[in-house]
Amino acid sequence: MGALHELAEGQAYAREEMMLFRREVLEGIAGGRIDRVFRVWAEPRVRAGSTQRTWAGIIVIDSVTAVTPEEITEEDARRSGFKDRAALLTALSKSTKEGGYHRVMLHLGGPTPEAELAGNADLTDQELADLKTALDTIDTRSRRAPWTREVLRLIQEHPGLRALDLAEHLDRDKLPFKADVRRLKALGLTESLETGYRLSPRGKTLMAYLRSSTK
């Protein structure tokens, strides 16, 4: 029964939805100004102790509490990024979702492993050579023409451009293109923005190395 219970519990957690955050909210969480958000849900979509990866880092959910409008305070409004309680209640009242109000307490748990890797631009010659080998290996194993450097150059030239538009530059479909970018992100070479991507400091260092090695 224990194993079955754990499996059922794991499946329930797998059905949880990811929360979407506006850029200014993520910036507020990262800066310590925001430590709670409010959502309209029929049932909570996240649970205390769960985490979510974002471009700003790993968001940790501390608690999820159903609240009435009367229980929402001025501090709630300020600590969720609103000017005052009236502005927060107005925003919640405009939700098209059915359900009650929920207060989600959260904090920034730290950078994602990819973000920590991406921020390291102080690479040795051996590390750069290893990254070049990693790109070569991906290209060699690809079922189509080599693509890693082409995608990196495209992102470098068009930071913040939508994934769909980037894919169209290469006459490719959006979803397979995004999957390729995730492979580059796993190497710490790209960073996700609210819209599109950019090269990470690590990625910029690698691109400079690749340019110099072809001269």
Side-chain angles (χ1 to χ4, degrees):
M1 287 294 291
L4 289 175
H5 176 73
E6 290 176 4
L7 177 60
E9 191 175 53
Q11 289 172 337
Y13 292 162
R15 288 194 294 271
E16 290 177 350
E17 296 180 2
M18 299 292 283
M19 294 178 65
L20 298 178
F21 298 96
R22 300 191 311 277
R23 183 177 190 86
E24 57 267 29
V25 172
L26 285 175
E27 290 174 346
I29 295 171
R33 300 184 302 277
I34 292 176
D35 63 5
R36 67 201 69 180
V37 296
F38 287 81
R39 293 291 188 269
V40 177
W41 288 325
E43 296 290 340
R45 302 301 189 189
V46 295
R47 62 185 175 88
S50 63
T51 60
Q52 182 171 327
R53 291 187 177 203
T54 72
W55 60 262
I58 298 176
I59 304 298
V60 180
I61 307 300
D62 297 313
S63 65
V64 183
T65 308
V67 294
T68 64
E70 293 73 22
E71 291 174 313
I72 296 175
T73 66
E74 289 290 343
E75 182 182 13
D76 282 331
R78 290 192 299 271
R79 297 296 291 172
S80 59
F82 286 85
K83 179 179 68 173
D84 52 33
R85 179 174 177 272
L88 171 56
L89 290 174
T90 297
L92 289 171
S93 69
K94 292 180 179 179
S95 173
T96 59
K97 297 180 179 179
E98 295 184 357
Y101 296 167
H102 290 77
R103 181 194 293 118
V104 182
M105 301 297 295
L106 43 74
H107 70 275
L108 187 70
T112 63
E114 295 91 342
E116 202 163 12
L117 189 65
N120 178 21
D122 186 17
L123 302 173
T124 66
D125 289 343
Q126 185 58 55
E127 287 173 325
L128 289 166
D130 289 344
L131 279 172
K132 179 179 180 298
T133 298
L135 296 184
D136 291 340
T137 300
I138 292 173
D139 284 337
T140 299
R141 294 176 178 175
S142 175
R143 295 182 179 180
R144 59 180 187 278
W147 58 267
T148 57
R149 290 157 178 78
E150 184 178 43
V151 171
L152 286 170
R153 280 194 296 270
L154 187 64
I155 291 173
Q156 185 174 40
E157 294 169 0
H158 303 282
L161 190 63
R162 294 187 312 163
L164 176 61
D165 295 327
L166 289 170
E168 288 179 349
H169 270 276
L170 302 177
D171 195 25
R172 296 191 54 200
D173 292 331
K174 174 184 171 182
L175 292 181
F177 174 81
K178 291 183 71 173
D180 284 347
V181 176
R182 283 195 295 271
R183 297 186 70 180
L184 298 174
K185 184 177 181 181
L187 293 173
L189 302 178
T190 66
E191 297 174 326
S192 296
L193 303 175
E194 185 175 21
T195 301
Y197 315 95
R198 68 184 175 196
L199 287 190
S200 67
R202 180 182 177 90
K204 292 176 181 177
T205 298
L206 176 63
M207 290 299 284
Y209 169 78
L210 294 176
R211 284 195 299 271
S212 65
S213 64
T214 57
K215 291 181 180 178

